[in-house]
Structures are given as C-alpha cells and as structure tokens.
Amino acid sequence: MLNSLVEAMDRLGRVFLYFGALGLVFAFLDAAYLAVTSGITLWEALVSPPAYDLFTRVLVLVLAFFSAIAGELVLTRYRRTARQLESERTRLQTLYEENPSAIVSLGRDYVISYANRRTEHLVDTPRAELEGRLCYEAFVGEDSPCEGCLVAQVIETGQPHSRIKHERTIAGRENWLSQLWYPLLDAQGRVESVVEIATDISELKLDPLTSLPNRLLMRDRLDVALAAAQRHGQMLAVFFLDIDGFKGINDVHGHAAGDELLRSFADRLRLAVRQDETLARLGGDEFVLLVPTLDHPSDVDSIAARILAQVSEPFAVGPSTLPITVSIGVCVYQDGAASGADIMDSADASMYQAKAAGGATYRVSTCAAAAERPD
C-alpha cells in the first residue's frame, strides 16, 4: 500500500515536472514567434503578451499539460518493460549459470558462443578458453567433427537429438554424459544456432571398476534403440561377451589381478566401439555391446571379428602376461514384439553356445523374426 502511494506521488511529481518544462519551452517558442512577427522585444512578448495572444498561451499550457501526461504514460510503460526485461534476463542468467547441467551455445560454424559455469567443471577448462573456439577442438582436441556428429544433424534437419556418450576431454577428464541438442531458429525458420545441454551421469549409471555403463544404463539404451528399431523397421544387435576361464584367473592370480584384467579388457573393447554403439559391463566378466542399427544380419561377422581381434593380444597383469579369449553370443533383432529382456536372454543363451563350442568364438541367434545366420 505504502509503495503504491509513493509510486503515485512520484508519478504526479514527474507529470508536474514535465508540464513545467514543456510549458516553459512552448511559452518561449510562442514568445519568440510573437516577437518576430509583432516587432516587440522577446521579454515583452514573454511576460506581457498582447491580449490576442492569451488564448494561444493558454492553449500552449493545455498542450504542455497533456503532453506531460502522455510522456509519463509512455515512460512508465518503457520503465515497466525495461524492469520486466531485466528481471527476465536475471532469471535466465541464473538458470544458465546455476544449472547443474553444462549449457553450451554453438553457431552453424561449430564455434562456441557461450558456455556456462558447469561446462568449465565438466571439461576442466576455463570458459574464457572455450568461447570463440570450435567445439570439437575445445572439448576433445580433434581437428574435425566426429563421425555421425549430432550437431551437424541438428543443423541439417532442424530437429533435436540426444544420446548418452562417454567422452574424454582434451584436459584428460572422463565423463559419461546425457547430451541433448536443440536448434534455435531465426525468423525464416532456419537453424541459427544450437544449444547443447549435457548432464554428467557418471555417478548414476556407470560401473565403478571400468567406468563403462552399468546394467541399468544398458537397459535404458537398449529400450530406446528397440523402440526406434520397431518404429522405423530397422535391425539391431546385442553382443553378450564373457571372458573364458576368468574364474581360474581369479583363483590363481587373485582378485586384484582379476580387477586389473577387467579394466584392461574394458579399455581394449572401447577401441572396438563405434560412435553410435554402447559398451557396458553387467557384472563379473560379463560385457554387452549394443549396436543400435544393423544394415544386414551378416554384419555381425565383421563386428565379432573386430572384437576378437581387439582382445587377441595377451594382457599384462602385474608381473604376468595372460592370454585371454572371449566367448560371444549375438542376438539379431529384425522385427516383432520382442522386449529388451528377450533380446538379452537370447544373446546370453548364444554366448553359452559359444562356450560349449570351446570358447574364443561367437554364435548368433535371432529374436522374433527369422534372419540370416553366418555359416
């Protein structure tokens, strides 16, 4: 109530101030015109105007009064709009700067125009060293966009994209990020820039030993990939991996050596994983590779060969060098109503078939629809 009264008094005071100022200006202009046209002095015209000019002088004052009111209304609206804009700017700045997720704005040329405070923490680099640089150069030290770059897809399609990704920054920091990219459009509907929102999920869905996705994250990724495959009529594949004779390694060399082997094994497998694939550790010596899009069922041959070649060299574990083999079970999904659990169970059963065949090999099954199998 008191604030409203003070504001009303302030407004009244401003109206009289504007009225006084405008009245003096208008009166001076009128007197100057009268002095020029009638031959009297400016002072006489100002303080003792002829009787016939009194009406004009009253009209001038009335115009000054209404001009003062109009000016106050315009300035009040301007001030109110300015306060709203400043309040909105403050809210947005707080939202961006205090957000627990990293927020980055990129131009069509991949140049970073803005990075919030959280971004500095995730990449271990001051934002002053990020802004103005190419995103792939500033974040991961590459000289060109990665294969299948989702920023490029957002720019080309104007549609948002998302993914979960393991990333090693240029500063050596490793993160598992849930990343979302949104296009910002200009007045013509053309993508002007892209906003990335990246949330660190390392503590939520990562295996603490290998820093790979855990069972929960893998199931999330599989469910998303399966929904996309069913919607678009695509194929996907799940590779279930198990180290041959791992229990014996633990018994002979100890659990610390077994853990070291699992970490090295995970590092080797990472080298065989492509941009859109997800590698996870379910527990023990069980690993899963999700390939969300498969052009043909026979493509599993080259993927399995890629994995087997990656782990074919012996592993250095403490003072020992251990030759390792792996059994792989593959489930190829093509169509039907299979669930993620069905696909995982099928891949697991195929892995046991590879074990029964002596290990160091792979076996393929299909889930739901029939598909070709390797000889």
Side-chain angles (χ1 to χ4, degrees):
M1 181 69 177
L2 181 60
N3 290 337
S4 300
L5 180 61
V6 170
E7 185 176 351
M9 293 299 293
D10 287 345
R11 184 176 299 172
L12 184 62
R14 287 194 297 268
V15 168
F16 277 107
L17 179 64
Y18 302 152
F19 170 68
L22 289 171
L24 287 175
V25 171
F26 290 164
F28 179 81
L29 292 175
D30 180 61
Y33 175 76
L34 183 62
V36 171
T37 57
S38 64
I40 63 176
T41 65
L42 179 62
W43 177 254
E44 291 175 331
L46 186 62
V47 299
S48 302
Y52 66 81
D53 191 60
L54 289 177
F55 175 76
T56 303
R57 195 64 54 87
V58 171
L59 182 62
V60 164
L61 293 177
V62 171
L63 289 176
F65 178 73
F66 283 106
S67 298
I69 294 176
E72 171 60 21
L73 292 176
V74 170
L75 289 175
T76 297
R77 176 168 294 186
Y78 169 78
R79 284 192 292 268
R80 184 183 299 117
T81 302
R83 285 197 300 268
Q84 291 173 345
L85 289 175
E86 178 62 23
S87 177
E88 188 65 22
R89 187 194 69 81
T90 302
R91 280 197 296 268
L92 287 175
Q93 184 176 21
T94 302
L95 175 64
Y96 273 59
E97 288 301 315
E98 304 301 328
N99 201 295
S101 298
I103 300 177
V104 177
S105 181
L106 308 169
R108 292 179 60 89
D109 53 3
Y110 301 94
V111 172
I112 301 169
S113 59
Y114 169 80
N116 71 345
R117 188 180 306 162
R118 179 62 175 168
T119 306
E120 295 181 309
H121 173 74
L122 281 185
V123 300
D124 248 355
T125 305
R127 58 177 148 182
E129 298 179 16
L130 298 174
E131 295 173 351
R133 298 177 61 191
L134 295 166
C135 60
Y136 47 81
E137 174 190 275
F139 291 149
V140 293
E142 299 291 340
D143 54 9
S144 62
C146 62
E147 182 181 351
C149 176
L150 292 185
V151 176
Q153 294 183 34
V154 173
I155 293 173
E156 291 171 5
T157 66
Q159 298 297 317
H161 284 277
S162 64
R163 72 176 173 197
I164 295 175
K165 181 189 177 186
H166 176 264
E167 184 173 86
R168 183 189 294 271
T169 70
I170 193 171
R173 182 185 176 90
E174 292 196 21
N175 299 311
W176 268 100
L177 303 174
S178 173
Q179 298 173 303
L180 300 95
W181 289 268
Y182 293 95
L184 297 181
L185 308 180
D186 59 18
Q188 288 72 42
R190 181 173 175 265
V191 177
E192 186 174 52
S193 59
V194 177
V195 172
E196 176 186 351
I197 301 176
T199 303
D200 186 2
I201 59 171
S202 302
E203 296 181 359
L204 299 178
K205 296 185 177 180
L206 292 190
D207 171 53
L209 180 65
T210 63
S211 295
L212 290 176
N214 61 15
R215 182 185 297 271
L216 180 61
L217 178 52
M218 170 53 71
R219 285 302 303 271
D220 286 346
R221 296 292 285 165
L222 177 56
D223 288 344
V224 171
L226 180 58
Q230 291 171 340
R231 184 167 58 252
H232 301 296
Q234 299 173 333
M235 288 182 289
L236 63 78
V238 169
F239 291 70
F240 202 108
L241 291 68
D242 190 274
I243 299 174
D244 297 323
F246 181 73
K247 183 178 183 303
I249 295 173
N250 262 342
D251 293 342
V252 173
H253 299 276
H255 289 283
D259 288 348
E260 184 180 351
L261 173 61
L262 290 173
R263 284 191 291 267
S264 299
F265 185 76
D267 289 340
R268 290 268 194 99
L269 291 180
R270 280 194 181 98
L271 300 176
V273 176
R274 293 177 177 172
Q275 183 73 23
D276 61 339
E277 300 170 352
T278 299
L279 175 67
R281 178 183 177 227
L282 303 188
D285 60 326
E286 295 180 338
F287 295 79
V288 169
L289 175 65
L290 168 63
V291 180
T293 56
L294 203 65
D295 293 331
H296 193 273
S298 62
D299 290 345
V300 300
D301 296 336
S302 59
I303 298 173
R306 191 202 320 162
I307 295 171
L308 292 171
Q310 201 62 248
V311 299
S312 61
E313 294 294 325
F315 287 78
V317 179
S320 305
T321 301
L322 305 177
I324 296 299
T325 60
V326 62
S327 295
I328 306 173
V330 188
C331 175
V332 177
Y333 172 84
Q334 189 165 4
D335 57 43
S339 66
D342 295 332
I343 295 173
M344 291 287 285
D345 290 344
S346 181
D348 189 23
S350 297
M351 183 272 293
Y352 280 106
Q353 293 175 12
K355 288 276 190 188
T361 188
Y362 65 98
R363 292 291 183 267
V364 183
S365 64
T366 57
C367 199
E372 298 180 31
R373 300 187 185 190
D375 296 332

